[in-house]
Amino acid sequence: MATTETRPEPAGTPSTVPSATKETLEDYTLRFAPRSYRRWSTGVVSVSALGGIAYLADFAIGANIGIAYGTTNALWGIGLFAVVIFLSGFPLAFYAARYNLDLDLITRGSGFGYHGSVVTNVVFATFTFIFFALEGSIMAQGLELGLGVPLWLGYAVSTLIIFPLVVYGMKVLSTLQVWTTPLWLLLMVAPFGYLVISHPESVGAFFDYQGENGEGAASLSSVLLAAGVCLSLIAQIAEQIDYLRFMPPKTAENRRRWWTAVVLAGPGWVFFGAAKQVVGLFLAVYVIANVADGATVANEPVHQFLEIYREIVPGWLALALAVVLVVISQVKINVTNAYSGSLAWTNSFTRVTKHYPGRLVFVAVNLAIALVLMEANMFDFLNTILGFYANIGIAWVVTVASDIAINKYLLGISPKQPEFRRGMLHAVNPVGFGAMAVASILSIACFFGLLGEMLRPYSPILAVGLALVLPPVLAVATKGRWYLRRTDDGIEAPMLDAEGNPSDLVLHCHVCDTDYERPDMAACLAHDAHVCSLCLSTDTTGEHVLPAQV
């Protein structure tokens, strides 16, 4: 079909454009992020992405696994967690930054199919409201301690203040993350530095800590159980990618800065997360040993920091600083949780129903579910909830990483160039969908002891192993024929430019009357024109969708 070219400038939003289209253009919700919108430097994108890991849940996780299994096992578990997260997150982060796609769009073409990735969207949405609830619980603890706010009311406050902050997407979130990060770093690092310098004996006590039962000797099963709890954070890479998709094009001039930003803000988030878990356990051990009834609050970050602040500054200021830290941390991470969760729910709903209800509808849905979890006091069941969820998250993320690294780049069975548009993909691809299903089911069965108590601690290792091996096995078995429904989208212009970046050629969608860049477009079946990816998704009759190629 003929290619209509226009000037490569930011897409306009004329008054005739439907409201759904206008909203998605705020930050290209559910779409490829075009070059015309990606005006941020590599540094701003990476700082914004890392601002999203300001959560205090890591401190609680580190404290919980240390109290349960002792320092030695906790440290080995954290180390194992960091290795798995980094290796699995690297190919995903690279793919997102290189081709400017979120993890759902990547998952579609990486072994799951157009509708197959709906399941992974639900998995990711679950991650966002679990951790929203966890962070909201921590903030409520801070409000109760500092201002006497009842927990039930604190849960509501920590939920409602997030809604207005996620209305406008990346533009507001990037500003919020950049401006709050310096204060957050100061408030977080100061207590740890103070203890190491002023109480050097606390370091020895930390390494000697044997857990609440005094049975924390080195044990492989305890290491794996600790790692399993930490690995519940594996889906965090999807939130990092929600920022990384706005990376500028990779060029010869910015190559070093580009790679540094992608590695640090992508899989590199785990180094900061692991450090926070270690510090959380360190502070917990100090509180247990030096504070009356410290064992009852040692796993609550607000109390950890409050007790150390009290040694540095007057009591009233210590309380104020602890509350400020908790509020800043909760806001920084939960705007990301609410934003990313709303994208996941909206994406799934739009594909299943072919109707776009608006992202804000699902912001409300995600916040409502998180509030219910908080009111149900999920904080008391943290290890069990995270240990169970870890198996599903691992199965998804490692499956996609395996397809990208092995099937795309090593074996060449999976198409290297990403695909996410309706009509171009089969509904379900057994390679990724099947691998995740098998890895999830068997690892969950292992987690609950259905494969024997001896194997129970090994559920995360089983999930990693199956999710790594099954995609290439299934890809070879199916000869890769379930990846693409079509190889030609009806547009002659190339998808990539000379440097391998997505093309910035602008084409016009005749359905929503809006301009988009080349990767978001396909030829229309019924007209000699182009149609964008969202209009294809919401086409209830299929009149615009290209047929399968035999």
Side-chain angles (χ1 to χ4, degrees), residues 225-525:
L225 287 169
V229 175
C230 298
L231 282 167
S232 62
L233 293 167
I234 195 168
Q236 177 64 32
I237 189 63
E239 295 195 350
Q240 303 304 114
I241 283 173
D242 280 341
Y243 291 96
L244 285 178
R245 67 192 177 108
F246 297 113
M247 283 287 288
K250 175 176 170 285
T251 64
E253 292 75 22
N254 73 354
R255 183 175 182 274
R256 180 173 297 179
R257 297 191 307 275
W258 191 93
W259 272 113
T260 300
V262 169
V263 172
L264 285 180
W269 79 264
V270 74
F271 299 130
F272 302 96
K276 288 193 296 173
Q277 290 173 6
V278 173
V279 171
L281 176 54
F282 183 85
L283 298 180
V285 172
Y286 181 83
V287 170
I288 290 172
N290 296 278
V291 177
D293 297 322
T296 61
V297 295
N299 67 336
E300 297 181 10
V302 62
H303 283 280
Q304 293 176 351
F305 284 95
L306 175 61
E307 297 302 333
I308 313 305
Y309 286 147
R310 280 175 173 166
E311 294 194 21
I312 305 173
V313 297
W316 65 270
L317 182 56
L319 186 58
L321 291 176
V323 172
V324 168
L325 173 63
V326 168
V327 171
I328 289 178
S329 298
Q330 192 268 349
V331 169
K332 282 173 72 67
I333 181 56
N334 271 353
V335 292
T336 301
N337 280 328
Y339 172 68
S340 296
S342 69
L343 295 185
W345 286 121
T346 306
N347 219 322
S348 298
F349 187 88
T350 301
R351 267 178 293 160
V352 172
T353 66
K354 299 180 177 63
H355 171 68
Y356 181 81
R359 181 172 62 83
L360 295 185
V361 171
F362 286 102
V363 171
V365 169
N366 224 40
L367 297 187
I369 296 173
L371 181 57
V372 169
L373 286 178
M374 284 187 273
E375 298 291 357
N377 198 24
M378 66 157 286
F379 195 83
D380 287 347
F381 308 97
L382 184 61
N383 277 11
T384 301
I385 292 173
L386 298 186
F388 166 76
Y389 179 82
N391 295 285
I392 304 173
I394 291 168
W396 165 38
V397 172
V398 176
T399 293
V400 178
S402 176
D403 190 84
I404 293 174
I406 300 176
N407 293 351
K408 291 185 186 298
Y409 284 89
L410 185 60
L411 300 180
I413 299 175
S414 177
K416 186 177 295 186
Q417 190 167 299
E419 184 55 75
F420 62 91
R421 296 163 294 174
R422 181 185 176 192
M424 301 301 295
L425 295 167
H426 288 284
V428 177
N429 186 342
V431 173
F433 190 86
M436 177 185 168
V438 172
S440 296
I441 292 170
L442 290 181
S443 62
I444 289 173
C446 185
F447 176 79
F448 284 110
L450 299 181
L451 303 183
E453 285 299 319
M454 290 289 292
L455 294 178
R456 189 168 186 168
Y458 296 87
S459 67
I461 300 301
L462 180 63
V464 170
L466 290 173
L468 181 65
V469 172
L470 286 178
V473 170
L474 292 174
V476 171
T478 60
K479 299 180 180 179
R481 71 185 189 91
W482 292 100
Y483 281 98
L484 294 178
R485 182 172 176 267
R486 294 182 58 87
T487 57
D488 176 17
D489 64 4
I491 301 177
E492 295 179 0
M495 188 74 77
L496 306 178
D497 64 17
E499 294 183 298
N501 295 300
S503 170
D504 63 353
L505 173 70
V506 175
L507 304 173
H508 189 75
C509 175
H510 79 100
V511 177
C512 64
D513 193 28
T514 309
D515 296 338
Y516 302 98
E517 290 181 8
R518 169 69 176 91
D520 202 55
M521 305 293 284
C524 178
L525 174 63

Side-chain angles (χ1 to χ4, degrees), residues 24 27-34 37-38 45 93 95-103 105-106 170 238 240-248 339 343:
T24 64
D27 53 6
Y28 291 85
T29 305
L30 317 188
R31 298 180 181 275
F32 159 79
Y37 182 80
R38 292 180 275 119
V45 173
Y95 216 61
R98 182 61 163 162
Y99 297 110
N100 312 113
L101 305 174
D102 67 21
L103 190 50
L105 301 188
I106 292 172
M170 177 65 177
Q240 303 304 114
I241 283 173
D242 280 341
Y243 291 96
L244 285 178
R245 67 192 177 108
F246 297 113
M247 283 287 288
Y339 172 68
L343 295 185

Side-chain angles (χ1 to χ4, degrees), residues 24-363:
T24 64
L25 294 184
E26 162 58 32
D27 53 6
Y28 291 85
T29 305
L30 317 188
R31 298 180 181 275
F32 159 79
R35 191 179 307 191
S36 60
Y37 182 80
R38 292 180 275 119
R39 305 290 189 179
W40 296 276
S41 68
T42 58
V44 169
V45 173
S46 61
V47 170
S48 298
L50 289 174
I53 64 165
Y55 49 83
L56 295 180
D58 272 325
F59 294 91
I61 290 172
N64 274 308
I65 62 174
I67 291 170
Y69 308 115
T71 294
T72 299
N73 294 312
L75 292 180
W76 279 107
I78 292 170
L80 178 59
F81 142 78
V83 170
V84 172
I85 295 284
F86 187 87
L87 293 179
S88 63
F90 181 83
L92 276 63
F94 163 73
Y95 216 61
R98 182 61 163 162
Y99 297 110
N100 312 113
L101 305 174
D102 67 21
L103 190 50
D104 172 66
L105 301 188
I106 292 172
T107 299
R108 294 184 197 180
S110 297
F112 283 78
Y114 182 74
H115 285 109
S117 68
V118 169
V119 174
T120 65
N121 257 357
V122 174
V123 170
F124 179 47
T126 303
F127 170 86
T128 64
F129 65 64
I130 285 176
F131 281 90
F132 187 107
L134 178 54
E135 286 299 312
S137 297
I138 294 172
M139 179 174 173
Q141 293 165 3
L143 294 176
E144 181 185 44
L145 182 65
L147 303 176
V149 177
L151 279 177
W152 67 268
L153 182 57
Y155 296 148
V157 170
S158 66
T159 302
L160 294 175
I161 65 172
I162 297 300
F163 191 89
L165 296 175
V166 295
V167 170
Y168 298 105
M170 177 65 177
K171 291 179 181 177
V172 172
L173 296 187
S174 61
T175 301
L176 173 71
Q177 300 294 12
V178 169
W179 282 98
T180 56
T181 294
L183 178 59
W184 172 77
L185 281 172
L186 177 63
L187 292 175
M188 186 190 70
V189 172
F192 176 70
Y194 169 79
L195 283 184
V196 171
I197 296 172
S198 300
H199 298 275
E201 72 282 356
S202 63
V203 176
F206 165 70
F207 284 109
D208 292 337
Y209 182 63
Q210 295 290 301
E212 61 182 343
N213 296 324
E215 299 175 356
S219 162
L220 179 60
S221 62
S222 294
V223 168
L224 294 175
L225 287 169
V229 175
C230 298
L231 282 167
S232 62
L233 293 167
I234 195 168
Q236 177 64 32
I237 189 63
E239 295 195 350
Q240 303 304 114
I241 283 173
D242 280 341
Y243 291 96
L244 285 178
R245 67 192 177 108
F246 297 113
M247 283 287 288
K250 175 176 170 285
T251 64
E253 292 75 22
N254 73 354
R255 183 175 182 274
R256 180 173 297 179
R257 297 191 307 275
W258 191 93
W259 272 113
T260 300
V262 169
V263 172
L264 285 180
W269 79 264
V270 74
F271 299 130
F272 302 96
K276 288 193 296 173
Q277 290 173 6
V278 173
V279 171
L281 176 54
F282 183 85
L283 298 180
V285 172
Y286 181 83
V287 170
I288 290 172
N290 296 278
V291 177
D293 297 322
T296 61
V297 295
N299 67 336
E300 297 181 10
V302 62
H303 283 280
Q304 293 176 351
F305 284 95
L306 175 61
E307 297 302 333
I308 313 305
Y309 286 147
R310 280 175 173 166
E311 294 194 21
I312 305 173
V313 297
W316 65 270
L317 182 56
L319 186 58
L321 291 176
V323 172
V324 168
L325 173 63
V326 168
V327 171
I328 289 178
S329 298
Q330 192 268 349
V331 169
K332 282 173 72 67
I333 181 56
N334 271 353
V335 292
T336 301
N337 280 328
Y339 172 68
S340 296
S342 69
L343 295 185
W345 286 121
T346 306
N347 219 322
S348 298
F349 187 88
T350 301
R351 267 178 293 160
V352 172
T353 66
K354 299 180 177 63
H355 171 68
Y356 181 81
R359 181 172 62 83
L360 295 185
V361 171
F362 286 102
V363 171

